[in-house]
Amino acid sequence: MSDADDFPGYREPTLSILRRFDTPVWSDIRAHTTRGLFEGLILPRAETADEAHISLKLVSGYNVGLRHDTIESIEKVGYRPADYRVPEEEFPFDPDKPRVILFGTGGTIASRLDYRTGAVIPAFSPGELYGSVPELADVCNLVTEKLFGVFSENIDAGHWKILAERCGQAIEDGYQGIVIGHGTDTMHHTAAALTYMVADSPIPIVLVGSQRSSDRPSSDAAQSLINASSVAAHGDIAEVLVCMFGPTSERYNLLHRGTRVRKMHSSFRSTFRTLGDVPLAMIEKGKIDPIKHDYVRRDPTRTPDVQPYFEDKTTLLYYYPNMQPDILHALIDNGYKGIILAGTGLGHVNSIQFEALERARDEGVQVYMTLQTLWGFVQMYVYETGREILERGVVPLANMLPEVAYVKLGWALGRWPNEPEKVREFMTTPVHSDMTAGEPVEGYLVFQGGVPEVQDFLKTIWS
Amino acid sequence: MSRKKKPILTASPPAPIDLNPRTDPPLDFPDRELDAMRPADYAELGFLCGLEVHQQLLTEGKLFCRCRAGQRSSRVDMEVLRHMRPTLSEMGEYDGTALMEFKTRKDVVYQIDRTTVCTYEIDDTPPFPIDSQSVRIALEISRLFGLNLVSELHVMRKQYLDGSIPTGFQRTALVGLGGVLPFQGSELGEREIRIRQLSIEEDSCREVSDLGHRVVFRPDRLGTPLVETVTEPDLLTPLDVARGGRLIADVARASGKVRRGSGAARQDVNVSIAGSRRVELKGVPHHRGLPLLVHNEAFRHLNLLRIRVELLRRGVEPVALAFDPAYSALESPLVLDAASIARTASYRPVRAAIDRGDAVWAVRMIGFAGLLAHRTQTGRTFAHEIAERVRVIACLTTTPFLINSDEHELVGGTWSELRKALRADGGDAIVLVWGPEADVDTAACEILIRGADALVGVPSETRQPHADGTTGFERILPGPERMYPDTDMPAIPVQDEWIEEIEVRLAEHPWEREDRYVRMGLSARAARVLGGARWAFLFDAMEPSTPACARRTAAALEKRLVHWWRESGTGELPAAERLAPLARAVDEGRVRAEAFERAFDRLLREPDATPAAIVSDFAASDHDAADFERAVSELERDAPAARHGDEALLHWAMGRVMPVFLGRLDPASVRARLHDALKCEEPV
């Protein structure tokens, strides 16, 4: 008799039916049903699917569901377990190529589909990667290490700390570059965290992800992986970078500074944008064209300073009209040590917060102001409200992105838990352009489609 | 020479389902023209054919996004560039087609009209919920085919790496399977066509151009819902292929919910003969050309099988043409960089290639001497099979890009020098191929692969129909490995209520409809035409009840609508409410049937006049007799003095009177009365 492992994904009432006819998953069957004869292979049932149907793969390749109450009898005619493997071939070693380490964290990059859960799971050994993106062997000698298998949204400060330590270790081990495969949703948070946690890196640390998992023919994973590996292996920019599609067309990737980048669309390939500045470089087929030149150069003699700290009692509060002050009070009551406000316009919240802000100041909770407009600078002197907020100890953070400010504050509070002045000083000091002296005029480009001149531009640029 | 390693991805072997059940090709059967063949001849060939009929559904929206369906535009607002890579199926295998498309290394360009697509079509947004109107139509059409309905739809991804779909796969779901259709029109007597399955899927992009490494598509059509109806290989003669295709199209049309017009219905035709395997002729847009296409394809199979047998007789084995795909083809002893030898040849295209800096390679095909010139189709030889494959996969575009020792003379002993260099003997054939080096490498591999495939006989391919009835290589035939589940879409349970609702108001089958029309008094021909016409619903809505009226109605719809469309520039069907009063008046005897067409024309052309007013112009009244007598007196007075015979006189008189009394008086009695009044002597 078969056990539960033979029926992955099946629950009652279908489970009993499959047991009764002794037809576990991967059985070749002929099912006699009230809707006719169905012949095929029983597949694992997706865990998110209902319990009323059996998944069957027909000889044509199509899958269909058979409802339990239509089944009259099932004949087992064979058993054919699937062998789902990315073809594994040894990753070739070339002594003339740089050594790059690829850390896996569990995003959709370099992944394959788990057909039972419908989830994407990492295809991660160098052999598997070589099997699916053989061009990587032209770029570098790749070593991979799977650190965790979590979706982007489940990445937390604990993961950042481990990543930072592993980066430090990899630098010590003499790798010429580090690539981190990461889910895209929170890639910019991780990029910021590593910027602060791994100071003075002598080599590039490149985060890469994909918006279309590599189980799709149109995936962006291969191009991005190839370009990210090239940047890590051969690039001269020893900073924490995000390497993602420039346009939605499969043409080039952009390199974004980890402190100025943000995911801006839920599903477009070109989702990552540098905000308030221009990106660092373009990279096409492994060739890097710098756009900015003020970056930190690769320098193998530099010693990294790895400081894996984070204060969990840090938050990011997105202001909205009619916000009640009890939220701020609740944060203080719950022992929060640092609060980043994402204020309106030039950096405002409503005046009914003033009393709570005073309480925060008096109780030593650090409060900083950033902008929900994302572009532009905090300027709290222009309006009366701004000045009143400043008077209550809220510190403006220029054009630092709210998420970056959150990560920076959490790190600083973790690094100097008992030195508020040190934290304040660090927060107001620009690090890797998390605040810039000004905004280049082309640092804000959000064009509006439909406008004739923009359409003309698109016609030229998207062709 | 660097031993540059290439990625190897291997495909799974062809499915047994693709093999013709008979393994004994009638090699001695003479090549004959289509019109010289009888059904029994095709039986001797073991000719089998199945159809995959694609028909767009008449829905408002597309299948997985809310853009409008049925659009067509040539406006280009912007372009998007993509590349495609093969991925594994859930069964852990690569699909052969996918691998082939990967080898072509094509830039895929989408030209976008911003008003016809959203970000779904360019694969920058996941699918929206499936269009439920489309699902219900597909269920209804499945029932018309008598299929067993699945109880849960699983949206699958069917890989298409040619770029015709920006995701790299087509979303498709199986709706029903296992039905039988009576095939009354078969030339083999009353038979049946088994329907294997029906699926609902999104239509692909339209191809604009495909040149070298750049293929251009327009995604306006992409995402339009369509049903694909797949038959078993039950069509046994070319004529039956066309008739079967018509029947299937008509069954789906009977629902009244499929699109018509150019591109709205296309079929893939699967052909095999004894000893061969399924070859798919892709996207045949009409039924007319089908017989010649499948006939030619059958004889292509026969010729390829003859080549196979000859190769086996010569003792050629697949291993003789084997090479290691991981390395450049030049690593094979069968391939040679022939630039230095070919330089001496006076053949202009080769010299031009050398001047351009192209690679010129020679490939030794062991045991193929004479066979490259073997006929395959009208005006085509086996060398064409090789050239087509090279053109498509290696993307060589500057023609010619290859020549062979069977068919081409090269002055100056080039062939013999190449033979010497390749250690080839008189039993071997040499192919010389030129172009950019990377492409020539792919080409050399493909030449050897096609050579090895000759030992299989007929390789599983998808082929393109040409206007002259021949076919050309399009791609390797995809197998079931190209299907994998779409994790973006939940399974869709088929509600029992939907099915009950469909069963209650299921449309008639075309043959039932035809029978009904015959019972109403139409001729078999008229019934068939009407049954398949898009105005059949209009006919039914006009509700003619007497045979005479039914015949007039059917004839007017068949003949007069076209005129009106041509004049007005529309293709729309008029409203039934406007036409029905005419049928009623004729049925009730208020208007005589002869007036039908004239009244019908006026109903179409005078939209401001009420139907009642137009019909009453043709209706009989109490004073018709008196009016007619007055008209007769006028005719007696106006009759010309010179007589050119009674017939001419009567003709003149009828022409004067009948337009006035059309619909009111019986033309025969009018004629009889005029005959008397005008003192005609010849009998009436």
Side-chain angles (χ1 to χ4, degrees):
Chain A
M1 195 60 213
S2 33
D3 65 42
D5 290 350
D6 293 332
F7 303 95
Y10 285 97
R11 289 167 281 157
E12 295 304 342
T14 42
L15 183 60
S16 308
I17 295 174
L18 293 179
R19 280 187 195 280
R20 175 146 44 94
F21 294 105
D22 189 24
T23 47
V25 162
W26 307 123
S27 295
D28 248 328
I29 61 152
R30 293 162 57 85
H32 302 271
T33 79
T34 53
R35 293 188 183 173
L37 176 70
F38 288 82
E39 294 175 86
L41 187 70
I42 298 181
L43 292 176
R45 183 83 178 154
E47 280 160 2
T48 48
D50 72 16
E51 65 291 335
H53 296 81
I54 292 170
S55 297
L56 196 68
K57 174 166 285 292
L58 309 179
V59 67
S60 60
Y62 274 97
N63 296 0
V64 299
L66 303 181
R67 204 170 66 199
H68 68 97
D69 57 2
T70 64
I71 292 169
E72 290 162 343
S73 67
I74 304 179
E75 283 170 67
K76 184 172 171 180
V77 293
Y79 183 73
R80 224 159 23 104
D83 178 22
Y84 185 79
R85 259 194 334 226
V86 178
E88 210 166 324
E89 266 207 277
E90 201 183 331
F91 201 97
F93 180 78
D94 179 348
D96 297 333
K97 291 204 166 73
R99 288 167 64 225
V100 169
I101 188 161
L102 169 59
F103 291 126
T105 66
T108 48
I109 186 95
S111 56
R112 59 191 167 89
L113 207 57
D114 179 327
Y115 288 96
R116 185 167 55 89
T117 60
V120 269
I121 52 177
F124 211 68
S125 73
E128 281 179 318
L129 267 182
Y130 179 62
S132 49
V133 190
E135 298 95 321
L136 287 173
D138 296 335
V139 176
C140 57
N141 293 305
L142 196 66
V143 171
T144 62
E145 187 178 328
K146 186 184 166 188
L147 294 183
F148 5 94
V150 289
F151 286 123
S152 202
E153 61 273 20
N154 291 325
I155 293 273
D156 59 27
H159 297 109
W160 294 339
K161 293 181 207 169
I162 296 170
L163 261 173
E165 282 170 345
R166 290 295 302 119
C167 285
Q169 187 62 47
I171 294 166
E172 205 168 291
D173 292 345
Y175 285 100
Q176 276 105 321
I178 297 170
V179 177
I180 299 169
H182 199 290
T184 53
D185 288 3
T186 63
M187 192 191 291
H188 49 295
H189 298 84
T190 300
L194 292 177
T195 304
Y196 302 116
M197 290 182 180
V198 187
D200 301 327
S201 171
I203 59 170
I205 299 175
V206 190
L207 284 102
V208 65
S210 73
Q211 285 287 86
R212 293 288 166 285
S213 55
S214 50
D215 58 82
R216 298 164 189 246
S218 62
S219 172
D220 52 340
Q223 177 187 305
S224 290
L225 257 182
I226 293 164
N227 281 334
S229 305
S230 303
V231 171
H234 307 285
D236 189 35
I237 310 173
E239 297 192 33
V240 177
L241 304 166
V242 164
C243 178
M244 291 289 289
F245 264 41
T248 179
S249 280
E250 218 171 286
R251 293 174 55 206
Y252 56 88
N253 280 50
L254 288 174
L255 285 182
H256 306 277
R257 228 170 214 141
T259 53
R260 291 239 59 91
V261 65
R262 199 169 185 281
K263 183 175 184 179
M264 298 301 288
H265 194 281
S266 63
S267 53
F268 251 76
R269 287 164 172 76
S270 51
T271 178
F272 281 89
R273 304 283 95 178
T274 288
L275 269 54
D277 205 341
V278 294
L280 272 179
M282 290 167 71
I283 167 157
E284 184 167 9
K285 297 194 174 100
K287 187 178 162 292
I288 305 167
D289 279 320
I291 296 171
K292 288 173 73 79
H293 297 273
D294 62 340
Y295 53 82
V296 180
R297 290 337 197 237
R298 180 192 284 272
D299 179 1
T301 63
R302 196 163 47 231
T303 316
D305 179 14
V306 178
Q307 301 287 352
Y309 297 105
F310 202 83
E311 171 53 62
D312 289 341
K313 291 287 187 186
T314 311
T315 191
L316 169 57
L317 192 60
Y318 195 96
Y319 171 75
Y320 44 88
N322 202 42
M323 180 187 267
Q324 300 300 306
D326 52 358
I327 292 189
L328 269 175
H329 283 298
L331 289 170
I332 301 165
D333 291 343
N334 279 292
Y336 273 76
K337 298 192 169 62
I339 298 168
I340 301 292
L341 290 170
T344 57
L346 293 164
H348 298 141
V349 293
N350 55 5
S351 52
I352 56 173
Q353 309 297 333
F354 289 178
E355 196 204 320
L357 290 173
E358 283 166 15
R359 184 185 159 206
R361 178 194 62 202
D362 296 345
E363 296 188 19
V365 179
Q366 299 210 4
V367 183
Y368 294 87
M369 181 62 76
T370 61
L371 302 179
Q372 48 187 256
T373 60
L374 301 177
W375 276 273
F377 286 77
V378 182
Q379 223 310 5
M380 299 168 77
Y381 295 100
V382 177
Y383 296 103
E384 178 65 24
T385 315
R387 290 193 289 274
E388 291 194 55
I389 296 169
L390 283 172
E391 279 165 22
R392 285 161 179 86
V394 176
V395 179
L397 289 180
N399 65 341
M400 195 185 299
L401 296 171
E403 294 84 1
V404 173
Y406 161 74
V407 172
K408 187 174 186 178
L409 180 58
W411 181 80
L413 288 169
R415 175 76 180 81
W416 300 288
N418 301 310
E419 296 171 82
E421 281 316 308
K422 196 104 186 171
V423 171
R424 203 176 303 275
E425 187 196 330
F426 181 74
M427 286 304 290
T428 50
T429 307
V431 177
H432 283 282
S433 303
D434 57 6
M435 290 180 281
T436 59
E439 187 180 46
V441 288
E442 70 279 44
Y444 169 63
L445 291 183
V446 183
F447 289 154
Q448 295 280 282
V451 176
E453 63 199 39
V454 174
Q455 289 306 133
D456 287 347
F457 169 73
L458 289 177
K459 205 165 188 162
T460 345
I461 217 70
W462 278 17
S463 62
Chain B
M1 190 70 224
S2 77
R3 281 175 60 85
K4 172 92 172 143
K5 204 163 166 133
K6 295 185 283 192
I8 355 177
L9 308 165
T10 43
S12 47
I17 194 174
D18 289 340
L19 298 173
N20 188 292
R22 255 177 63 191
T23 54
D24 53 331
L27 297 171
D28 299 330
F29 195 95
D31 281 22
R32 278 198 200 131
E33 298 299 318
L34 176 64
D35 50 17
M37 293 283 285
R38 295 162 300 127
D41 295 329
Y42 290 105
E44 196 180 334
L45 284 175
F47 176 88
L48 287 185
C49 191
L51 289 165
E52 299 170 15
V53 180
H54 302 97
Q55 286 169 287
Q56 291 181 339
L57 302 183
L58 194 53
T59 57
E60 296 280 311
K62 291 186 176 179
L63 194 53
F64 292 109
C65 70
R66 304 292 89 97
C67 289
R68 212 152 43 79
Q71 301 192 89
R72 191 183 169 93
S73 164
S74 53
R75 183 174 124 170
V76 183
D77 290 316
M78 56 195 91
E79 293 185 349
V80 171
L81 168 75
R82 296 278 163 74
H83 300 100
M84 299 289 162
R85 280 177 173 263
T87 62
L88 284 177
S89 80
E90 82 215 273
M91 306 303 289
E93 281 154 335
Y94 281 113
D95 179 63
T97 320
L99 291 179
M100 180 208 103
E101 300 289 357
F102 186 51
K103 283 191 219 171
T104 62
R105 293 170 290 125
K106 279 196 198 237
D107 283 348
V108 183
V109 174
Y110 300 100
Q111 293 186 332
I112 293 166
D113 169 351
R114 57 191 278 268
T115 63
T116 65
V117 297
C118 66
T119 50
Y120 169 73
E121 282 95 333
I122 57 164
D123 188 35
D124 266 324
T125 290
F128 296 90
I130 193 166
D131 178 55
S132 67
Q133 188 193 7
S134 305
V135 173
R136 288 175 189 226
I137 297 174
L139 286 165
E140 182 176 343
I141 296 174
S142 295
R143 286 305 299 148
L144 282 172
F145 282 114
L147 301 179
N148 295 317
L149 300 179
V150 306
S151 40
E152 191 183 54
L153 264 60
H154 287 225
V155 178
M156 304 292 291
R157 298 174 180 176
K158 193 194 279 182
Q159 279 201 0
Y160 276 98
L161 274 78
D162 59 357
S164 61
I165 307 188
T167 47
F169 51 78
Q170 178 184 43
R171 290 193 161 92
T172 170
L174 193 69
V175 177
L177 66 171
V180 174
L181 210 56
F183 184 21
Q184 292 165 343
S186 167
E187 67 169 328
L188 302 173
E190 210 150 293
R191 311 186 55 241
E192 288 174 336
I193 302 176
R194 288 168 300 156
I195 307 296
R196 184 180 294 169
Q197 63 184 46
L198 181 142
S199 53
I200 180 167
E201 50 197 39
E202 50 184 356
D203 207 345
S204 56
C205 294
R206 285 189 296 126
E207 186 182 299
V208 177
S209 63
D210 183 1
L211 202 63
H213 292 282
R214 181 182 157 98
V215 57
V216 180
F217 291 101
R218 293 223 172 96
D220 47 5
R221 190 181 76 181
L222 174 71
T224 300
L226 56 82
V227 289
E228 183 197 56
T229 310
V230 182
T231 77
E232 297 291 342
D234 287 347
L235 301 160
L236 307 179
T237 69
L239 194 59
D240 269 11
V241 175
R243 288 178 178 175
R246 251 181 230 123
L247 174 64
I248 287 165
D250 285 348
V251 171
R253 281 176 178 177
S255 70
K257 290 162 190 158
V258 299
R259 286 182 192 274
R260 294 164 181 262
S262 97
R266 311 183 293 272
Q267 44 250 304
D268 302 341
V269 192
N270 293 300
V271 182
S272 71
I273 65 165
S276 83
R277 59 176 72 165
R278 177 169 80 94
V279 166
E280 181 176 309
L281 312 182
K282 193 97 184 147
V284 188
H286 44 69
H287 303 119
R288 223 173 29 252
L290 276 172
L292 183 61
L293 265 178
V294 296
H295 166 87
N296 283 342
E297 184 59 19
F299 279 95
R300 191 182 71 92
H301 288 213
L302 187 61
N303 281 309
L304 291 177
L305 292 167
R306 287 174 177 144
I307 292 172
R308 170 178 181 268
V309 165
E310 175 58 21
L311 284 168
L312 292 176
R313 197 190 60 76
R314 296 180 185 182
V316 180
E317 287 179 27
V319 67
L321 294 151
F323 63 97
D324 185 349
Y327 296 96
S328 163
L330 273 184
E331 295 290 321
S332 162
L334 301 172
V335 181
L336 176 78
D337 183 342
S340 57
I341 297 175
R343 194 182 298 277
T344 61
S346 58
Y347 186 55
R348 193 169 299 160
V350 172
R351 297 195 62 86
I354 291 171
D355 291 345
R356 276 196 305 271
D358 280 356
V360 183
W361 292 7
V363 182
R364 173 187 173 203
M365 301 190 71
I366 294 181
F368 274 76
L371 291 178
L372 297 188
H374 194 291
R375 177 184 194 273
T376 51
Q377 311 179 67
T378 314
R380 302 270 195 285
T381 63
F382 184 67
H384 277 96
E385 298 262 328
I386 296 174
E388 282 167 347
R389 193 167 161 131
V390 164
R391 178 181 57 80
V392 173
I393 301 183
C395 300
L396 290 175
T397 45
T398 317
T399 47
F401 49 80
L402 62 75
I403 51 174
N404 67 79
S405 56
D406 280 355
E407 297 179 300
H408 300 267
E409 297 287 339
L410 280 184
V411 185
T414 310
W415 286 129
S416 54
E417 274 185 66
L418 286 171
R419 271 182 207 286
K420 205 183 301 165
L422 280 163
R423 298 165 195 272
D425 61 30
D428 300 342
I430 311 285
V431 177
L432 196 63
V433 56
W434 56 90
E437 179 163 342
D439 296 342
V440 169
D441 191 349
T442 309
C445 293
E446 291 307 316
I447 291 167
L448 291 172
I449 291 172
R450 187 62 190 86
D453 277 353
L455 288 156
V456 171
V458 181
S460 299
E461 289 173 352
T462 298
R463 296 180 68 81
Q464 229 176 7
H466 296 317
D468 65 356
T470 62
T471 61
F473 176 80
E474 187 172 89
R475 64 173 81 108
I476 295 161
L477 190 66
E481 292 77 26
R482 70 163 164 171
M483 304 278 289
Y484 55 125
D486 184 13
T487 47
D488 292 331
M489 298 296 299
I492 301 141
V494 174
Q495 315 283 341
D496 285 342
E497 306 87 80
W498 295 358
I499 299 177
E500 283 157 20
E501 206 177 294
I502 285 165
E503 297 290 353
V504 169
R505 47 174 184 78
L506 195 63
E508 283 167 302
H509 286 106
W511 56 89
E512 291 165 344
R513 186 176 276 265
E514 274 178 50
D515 287 350
R516 177 162 62 82
Y517 291 152
V518 169
R519 285 196 305 276
M520 287 175 79
L522 301 196
S523 69
R525 190 211 70 88
R528 194 169 59 246
V529 170
L530 180 60
R534 68 185 174 107
W535 51 82
F537 297 92
L538 189 53
F539 176 89
D540 291 344
M542 286 170 71
E543 297 183 315
S545 59
T546 58
C549 183
R551 284 194 290 271
R552 293 285 182 170
T553 306
L557 288 169
E558 187 184 334
K559 302 198 177 82
R560 305 308 302 166
L561 274 179
V562 209
H563 285 280
W564 177 57
W565 285 333
R566 207 171 296 144
E567 279 169 34
S568 64
T570 70
E572 282 169 27
L573 288 176
E577 304 83 74
R578 190 157 176 84
L579 300 178
L582 171 61
R584 203 154 47 238
V586 172
D587 273 335
E588 289 168 2
R590 285 184 283 121
V591 170
R592 297 187 50 85
E594 313 89 69
F596 199 102
E597 271 191 16
R598 189 69 62 84
F600 184 88
D601 283 350
R602 285 188 54 197
L603 286 166
L604 297 178
R605 285 171 178 76
E606 296 172 26
D608 295 334
T610 65
I614 293 174
V615 169
S616 76
D617 282 353
F618 297 92
S621 66
D622 298 340
H623 46 82
D624 285 343
D627 289 351
F628 177 57
E629 281 312 317
R630 223 175 359 262
V632 171
S633 316
E634 284 171 21
L635 281 174
E636 286 168 334
R637 192 190 62 217
D638 297 345
R643 296 182 78 119
H644 300 285
D646 289 349
E647 198 44 52
L649 183 66
L650 270 176
H651 189 77
W652 166 82
M654 288 293 281
R656 286 274 299 256
V657 185
M658 263 331 281
V660 182
F661 295 97
L662 183 68
R664 305 179 183 184
L665 298 178
D666 173 16
S669 46
V670 169
R671 191 182 160 91
R673 174 74 187 89
L674 291 176
H675 186 273
D676 291 348
L678 298 171
K679 304 184 176 57
C680 295
E681 283 160 10
E682 292 162 29
V684 178

